[in-house]
Amino acid sequence: MKRRFAVVLPTLVAVAASLPIALSTTPASAAASCGTTVADKDGSAWNKTADGANERSGSSTNCTVKGIAYNTQRLDYHCYTVAGDYTWTYLRNDSTGVTGWVRDDLLSDYGSLVYCGF
């Protein structure tokens, strides 16, 4: 019995040690305040978004609208963040040159998969 415990113990320790790391990588709610810009961490570009999606200066409907993204325009996703009940993607509209935050449920593919880190 002691031998079996000695074999299982290192595995249990390894699993326990990895739990805090796994839990800490889950994005917390951290809205991007108005005026926040982010470097391109994603690298993907897409051709469509919902018609008339507002590009805002931060991840809140209280932030000013900098532009509007249409479904015929190419968008370059930079990363996403969580604000309350929604996720928001920071992007550059390659058709207009405007950068801004768009709520992910307004994007045809629900936005970036790369977390901004804040």
Side-chain angles (χ1 to χ4, degrees), residues 27-46:
S29 183
S33 58
C34 299
T36 301
T37 61
V38 186
D40 192 352
K41 298 179 179 187
D42 190 320
S44 60
W46 307 96

PDB file of all heavy atoms in Angstrom, residues 27-46:
ATOM      1  N   PRO A  27      -9.729  35.034 -18.158  1.00  0.00           N
ATOM      2  CA  PRO A  27      -9.871  36.490 -18.175  1.00  0.00           C
ATOM      3  C   PRO A  27     -10.894  36.983 -17.169  1.00  0.00           C
ATOM      4  O   PRO A  27     -11.992  36.452 -17.072  1.00  0.00           O
ATOM      5  CB  PRO A  27     -10.333  36.789 -19.600  1.00  0.00           C
ATOM      6  CG  PRO A  27      -9.945  35.601 -20.401  1.00  0.00           C
ATOM      7  CD  PRO A  27     -10.001  34.443 -19.454  1.00  0.00           C
ATOM      8  N   ALA A  28     -10.536  37.982 -16.426  1.00  0.00           N
ATOM      9  CA  ALA A  28     -11.454  38.627 -15.502  1.00  0.00           C
ATOM     10  C   ALA A  28     -12.093  39.812 -16.213  1.00  0.00           C
ATOM     11  O   ALA A  28     -11.634  40.246 -17.256  1.00  0.00           O
ATOM     12  CB  ALA A  28     -10.692  39.100 -14.271  1.00  0.00           C
ATOM     13  N   SER A  29     -13.149  40.305 -15.646  1.00  0.00           N
ATOM     14  CA  SER A  29     -13.807  41.455 -16.229  1.00  0.00           C
ATOM     15  C   SER A  29     -12.938  42.689 -16.045  1.00  0.00           C
ATOM     16  O   SER A  29     -12.668  43.114 -14.937  1.00  0.00           O
ATOM     17  CB  SER A  29     -15.167  41.663 -15.558  1.00  0.00           C
ATOM     18  OG  SER A  29     -15.848  42.729 -16.161  1.00  0.00           O
ATOM     19  N   ALA A  30     -12.432  43.226 -17.153  1.00  0.00           N
ATOM     20  CA  ALA A  30     -11.552  44.388 -17.097  1.00  0.00           C
ATOM     21  C   ALA A  30     -11.815  45.251 -18.323  1.00  0.00           C
ATOM     22  O   ALA A  30     -11.163  45.099 -19.350  1.00  0.00           O
ATOM     23  CB  ALA A  30     -10.096  43.954 -17.043  1.00  0.00           C
ATOM     24  N   ALA A  31     -12.789  46.110 -18.236  1.00  0.00           N
ATOM     25  CA  ALA A  31     -13.147  46.956 -19.363  1.00  0.00           C
ATOM     26  C   ALA A  31     -11.980  47.852 -19.755  1.00  0.00           C
ATOM     27  O   ALA A  31     -11.197  48.271 -18.919  1.00  0.00           O
ATOM     28  CB  ALA A  31     -14.361  47.806 -19.004  1.00  0.00           C
ATOM     29  N   ALA A  32     -11.878  48.112 -21.050  1.00  0.00           N
ATOM     30  CA  ALA A  32     -10.882  49.055 -21.547  1.00  0.00           C
ATOM     31  C   ALA A  32     -11.500  50.441 -21.438  1.00  0.00           C
ATOM     32  O   ALA A  32     -12.521  50.731 -22.051  1.00  0.00           O
ATOM     33  CB  ALA A  32     -10.534  48.730 -22.997  1.00  0.00           C
ATOM     34  N   SER A  33     -10.908  51.290 -20.631  1.00  0.00           N
ATOM     35  CA  SER A  33     -11.461  52.626 -20.453  1.00  0.00           C
ATOM     36  C   SER A  33     -11.408  53.396 -21.771  1.00  0.00           C
ATOM     37  O   SER A  33     -10.628  53.069 -22.667  1.00  0.00           O
ATOM     38  CB  SER A  33     -10.714  53.374 -19.345  1.00  0.00           C
ATOM     39  OG  SER A  33      -9.346  53.460 -19.666  1.00  0.00           O
ATOM     40  N   CYS A  34     -12.231  54.412 -21.884  1.00  0.00           N
ATOM     41  CA  CYS A  34     -12.296  55.216 -23.092  1.00  0.00           C
ATOM     42  C   CYS A  34     -10.904  55.758 -23.413  1.00  0.00           C
ATOM     43  O   CYS A  34     -10.206  56.243 -22.531  1.00  0.00           O
ATOM     44  CB  CYS A  34     -13.289  56.354 -22.926  1.00  0.00           C
ATOM     45  SG  CYS A  34     -14.977  55.787 -22.608  1.00  0.00           S
ATOM     46  N   GLY A  35     -10.473  55.621 -24.653  1.00  0.00           N
ATOM     47  CA  GLY A  35      -9.164  56.079 -25.084  1.00  0.00           C
ATOM     48  C   GLY A  35      -8.095  55.005 -25.072  1.00  0.00           C
ATOM     49  O   GLY A  35      -6.968  55.257 -25.486  1.00  0.00           O
ATOM     50  N   THR A  36      -8.416  53.790 -24.619  1.00  0.00           N
ATOM     51  CA  THR A  36      -7.446  52.705 -24.554  1.00  0.00           C
ATOM     52  C   THR A  36      -7.171  52.134 -25.943  1.00  0.00           C
ATOM     53  O   THR A  36      -8.101  51.792 -26.668  1.00  0.00           O
ATOM     54  CB  THR A  36      -7.948  51.569 -23.632  1.00  0.00           C
ATOM     55  OG1 THR A  36      -8.159  52.089 -22.332  1.00  0.00           O
ATOM     56  CG2 THR A  36      -6.956  50.421 -23.569  1.00  0.00           C
ATOM     57  N   THR A  37      -5.890  52.039 -26.289  1.00  0.00           N
ATOM     58  CA  THR A  37      -5.474  51.380 -27.526  1.00  0.00           C
ATOM     59  C   THR A  37      -4.604  50.188 -27.171  1.00  0.00           C
ATOM     60  O   THR A  37      -4.042  50.128 -26.079  1.00  0.00           O
ATOM     61  CB  THR A  37      -4.685  52.341 -28.445  1.00  0.00           C
ATOM     62  OG1 THR A  37      -3.515  52.771 -27.756  1.00  0.00           O
ATOM     63  CG2 THR A  37      -5.515  53.548 -28.831  1.00  0.00           C
ATOM     64  N   VAL A  38      -4.506  49.231 -28.083  1.00  0.00           N
ATOM     65  CA  VAL A  38      -3.781  47.995 -27.820  1.00  0.00           C
ATOM     66  C   VAL A  38      -2.979  47.601 -29.060  1.00  0.00           C
ATOM     67  O   VAL A  38      -3.444  47.771 -30.190  1.00  0.00           O
ATOM     68  CB  VAL A  38      -4.764  46.851 -27.468  1.00  0.00           C
ATOM     69  CG1 VAL A  38      -4.021  45.598 -27.062  1.00  0.00           C
ATOM     70  CG2 VAL A  38      -5.720  47.262 -26.364  1.00  0.00           C
ATOM     71  N   ALA A  39      -1.794  47.056 -28.848  1.00  0.00           N
ATOM     72  CA  ALA A  39      -0.977  46.539 -29.950  1.00  0.00           C
ATOM     73  C   ALA A  39      -1.650  45.308 -30.561  1.00  0.00           C
ATOM     74  O   ALA A  39      -2.457  44.637 -29.911  1.00  0.00           O
ATOM     75  CB  ALA A  39       0.409  46.167 -29.437  1.00  0.00           C
ATOM     76  N   ASP A  40      -1.314  45.009 -31.787  1.00  0.00           N
ATOM     77  CA  ASP A  40      -1.894  43.862 -32.490  1.00  0.00           C
ATOM     78  C   ASP A  40      -1.289  42.570 -31.958  1.00  0.00           C
ATOM     79  O   ASP A  40      -0.145  42.241 -32.254  1.00  0.00           O
ATOM     80  CB  ASP A  40      -1.655  43.991 -33.988  1.00  0.00           C
ATOM     81  CG  ASP A  40      -2.466  42.994 -34.792  1.00  0.00           C
ATOM     82  OD1 ASP A  40      -3.100  42.105 -34.199  1.00  0.00           O
ATOM     83  OD2 ASP A  40      -2.476  43.113 -36.024  1.00  0.00           O
ATOM     84  N   LYS A  41      -2.066  41.840 -31.167  1.00  0.00           N
ATOM     85  CA  LYS A  41      -1.617  40.571 -30.593  1.00  0.00           C
ATOM     86  C   LYS A  41      -2.187  39.382 -31.353  1.00  0.00           C
ATOM     87  O   LYS A  41      -1.741  38.269 -31.173  1.00  0.00           O
ATOM     88  CB  LYS A  41      -2.049  40.480 -29.126  1.00  0.00           C
ATOM     89  CG  LYS A  41      -1.448  41.544 -28.253  1.00  0.00           C
ATOM     90  CD  LYS A  41      -1.930  41.415 -26.829  1.00  0.00           C
ATOM     91  CE  LYS A  41      -1.293  42.472 -25.965  1.00  0.00           C
ATOM     92  NZ  LYS A  41      -1.589  42.283 -24.558  1.00  0.00           N
ATOM     93  N   ASP A  42      -3.198  39.611 -32.176  1.00  0.00           N
ATOM     94  CA  ASP A  42      -3.945  38.529 -32.814  1.00  0.00           C
ATOM     95  C   ASP A  42      -3.360  38.141 -34.169  1.00  0.00           C
ATOM     96  O   ASP A  42      -3.082  36.983 -34.427  1.00  0.00           O
ATOM     97  CB  ASP A  42      -5.412  38.931 -32.963  1.00  0.00           C
ATOM     98  CG  ASP A  42      -6.298  37.791 -33.396  1.00  0.00           C
ATOM     99  OD1 ASP A  42      -5.891  36.992 -34.241  1.00  0.00           O
ATOM    100  OD2 ASP A  42      -7.425  37.700 -32.896  1.00  0.00           O
ATOM    101  N   GLY A  43      -3.191  39.068 -35.059  1.00  0.00           N
ATOM    102  CA  GLY A  43      -2.619  38.770 -36.366  1.00  0.00           C
ATOM    103  C   GLY A  43      -3.612  38.285 -37.404  1.00  0.00           C
ATOM    104  O   GLY A  43      -3.250  38.077 -38.549  1.00  0.00           O
ATOM    105  N   SER A  44      -4.878  38.096 -37.039  1.00  0.00           N
ATOM    106  CA  SER A  44      -5.859  37.632 -38.018  1.00  0.00           C
ATOM    107  C   SER A  44      -6.649  38.804 -38.586  1.00  0.00           C
ATOM    108  O   SER A  44      -6.834  39.818 -37.939  1.00  0.00           O
ATOM    109  CB  SER A  44      -6.803  36.611 -37.384  1.00  0.00           C
ATOM    110  OG  SER A  44      -7.485  37.186 -36.303  1.00  0.00           O
ATOM    111  N   ALA A  45      -7.090  38.671 -39.824  1.00  0.00           N
ATOM    112  CA  ALA A  45      -7.913  39.690 -40.469  1.00  0.00           C
ATOM    113  C   ALA A  45      -9.133  39.004 -41.082  1.00  0.00           C
ATOM    114  O   ALA A  45      -9.040  37.886 -41.581  1.00  0.00           O
ATOM    115  CB  ALA A  45      -7.117  40.425 -41.541  1.00  0.00           C
ATOM    116  N   TRP A  46     -10.254  39.658 -41.042  1.00  0.00           N
ATOM    117  CA  TRP A  46     -11.505  39.075 -41.506  1.00  0.00           C
ATOM    118  C   TRP A  46     -12.204  40.055 -42.435  1.00  0.00           C
ATOM    119  O   TRP A  46     -11.953  41.246 -42.404  1.00  0.00           O
ATOM    120  CB  TRP A  46     -12.396  38.745 -40.309  1.00  0.00           C
ATOM    121  CG  TRP A  46     -11.653  37.909 -39.323  1.00  0.00           C
ATOM    122  CD1 TRP A  46     -10.999  38.323 -38.210  1.00  0.00           C
ATOM    123  CD2 TRP A  46     -11.430  36.511 -39.395  1.00  0.00           C
ATOM    124  NE1 TRP A  46     -10.387  37.274 -37.572  1.00  0.00           N
ATOM    125  CE2 TRP A  46     -10.643  36.145 -38.277  1.00  0.00           C
ATOM    126  CE3 TRP A  46     -11.820  35.514 -40.279  1.00  0.00           C
ATOM    127  CZ2 TRP A  46     -10.251  34.840 -38.033  1.00  0.00           C
ATOM    128  CZ3 TRP A  46     -11.421  34.221 -40.027  1.00  0.00           C
ATOM    129  CH2 TRP A  46     -10.656  33.890 -38.924  1.00  0.00           C
TER     130      TRP A  46
END
